[in-house]
């Protein structure tokens, strides 16, 4: 079965995608076009580069997630150091490690820029806060006087995964001389399930991969400005998970429970990692057992009438 796929942003919970991908591969799914935001952008990029579920699982098991929080010497000073990072660099942490890690992995598959992939294979969502616009890469590169060969996929993913205040924004200097501040795609579209939709009947289904939580978890006590900022964005990103899915979106979406694990939980135990993986796997299996493309197309036609 040929499938387009859209992966939601969700920070460290993206580990669950590896389990869902394994379930899909076991059912003979062939990935056609891929898109994602934040952690979903990482998954989409690896799949577009040719990585399989067992490889992605191994890579995530070996990844030192603590390195994703790029600390500097200022972080040795409690609270004040983080605030200085925020005021100087507009984010608590550097986000360099993710891009460097992904760059190496894609290079092993002979891939560096969007030009190294088939046209339309991969789309990454980010937010250009300098211009107040959603940024779909590589589609929107012409706005910046750039071509697909000018932008590394790892750079696009880093942009998409730069949670505001939590990470420094990516300062992007385009060929036309403009400088833009780019942040997490989740600010404008955390779950871009619409990205491959057309007015006509689809040739392939578009499956969405979406995290669900029963409630928003936040800290009852907020002793410092640092805790305030962290709570704001924990709440914001978890609220994405609780938003209403309409009928047309829900029937083509794999909904993956994540328990009490949030997007900003960067220090997970082995048991929590295994929980996320198995949650993704079982959710995808359950979804595929009930999936009917012809029924979906009929429902789609009925909703249009």
């Amino acid at each position: 079965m040929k499938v387009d796929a859209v992966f939601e942003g969700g920070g460290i919970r993206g580990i669950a995608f590896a389990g869902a991908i394994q379930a899909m591969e076991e059912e003979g799914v062939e990935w056609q076009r891929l898109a994602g935001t934040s952690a979903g952008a990482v998954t989409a990029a690896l799949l577009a580069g040719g990585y399989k579920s067992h490889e992605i699982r191994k890579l995530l098991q070996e990844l030192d997630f603590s390195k994703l929080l790029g600390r500097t010497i200022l972080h040795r000073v409690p609270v004040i150091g983080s605030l200085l990072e925020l005021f100087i660099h507009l984010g608590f942490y550097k986000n360099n490690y993710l891009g460097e890690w992904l760059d190496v992995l894609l290079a092993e598959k002979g891939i560096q820029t969007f030009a190294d992939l088939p046209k339309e294979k991969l789309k990454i969502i980010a937010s250009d806060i300098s211009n107040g616009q959603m940024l779909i890469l590589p589609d929107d590169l012409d706005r910046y006087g750039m071509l697909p060969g000018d932008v590394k996929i790892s750079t696009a993913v880093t942009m998409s995964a730069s949670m505001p205040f939590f990470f420094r924004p990516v300062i992007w200097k385009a060929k036309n001389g403009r400088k833009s501040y780019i942040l997490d795609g989740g600010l404008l579209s955390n779950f871009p399930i619409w990205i491959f939709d057309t007015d006509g009947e689809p040739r392939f289904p578009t499956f969405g991969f979406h995290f669900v939580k029963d409630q928003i978890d936040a800290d009852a006590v907020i002793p410092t400005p640092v805790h305030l900022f962290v709570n704001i964005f924990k709440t914001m990103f978890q609220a994405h998970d609780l938003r209403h899915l309409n009928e047309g979106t829900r029937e083509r979406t794999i909904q993956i429970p994540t328990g009490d694990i949030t997007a900003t939980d960067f220090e997970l135990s082995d048991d929590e990692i295994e929980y996320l993986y198995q949650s993704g796997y079982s959710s995808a299996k359950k979804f595929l057992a009930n999936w009917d493309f012809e029924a979906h197309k009929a429902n789609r036609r009925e909703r249009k009438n």
Side-chain angles (χ1 to χ4, degrees), residues 88-115:
I88 296 171
H89 299 293
L90 306 180
F92 294 133
Y93 303 103
K94 295 189 296 183
N95 199 17
N96 299 359
Y97 182 74
L98 176 63
E100 293 166 358
W101 177 76
L102 190 58
D103 217 17
V104 171
L105 296 178
L106 292 177
E108 291 178 359
K109 301 289 188 179
I111 295 167
Q112 185 177 45
T113 72
F114 283 98

Side-chain angles (χ1 to χ4, degrees), residues 289-301:
N290 298 292
W291 171 252
D292 186 326
F293 190 29
E294 294 305 317
H296 171 70
K297 288 190 288 186
N299 291 339
R300 180 185 169 100
R301 289 192 294 268

Side-chain angles (χ1 to χ4, degrees), residues 269-284:
S269 67
D270 291 341
D271 286 344
E272 288 173 320
I273 290 173
E274 183 63 19
Y275 163 75
L276 287 172
Y277 191 90
Q278 292 301 326
S279 182
Y281 181 86
S282 60
S283 298

Side-chain angles (χ1 to χ4, degrees), residues 36-38 41 124-137 140 143-144 155-164 168-172 178-192 194 233 236-237 240:
T37 300
S38 192
I124 302 297
I125 310 299
S127 302
D128 183 342
I129 59 170
S130 297
N131 298 294
Q133 294 178 311
M134 182 184 300
L135 179 58
I136 302 176
L137 297 167
D140 293 332
R143 295 204 314 243
Y144 301 84
T155 300
V157 172
T158 300
M159 292 174 177
S160 183
S162 295
M163 286 186 283
R168 300 176 183 180
V170 175
I171 302 175
W172 195 28
R178 283 187 2 206
K179 182 169 72 172
S180 299
Y181 287 75
I182 314 295
L183 282 169
D184 197 303
L187 285 171
L188 298 177
S189 184
N190 201 45
F191 186 45
W194 46 265
F233 287 96
M236 183 187 76
F237 279 92
H240 275 302

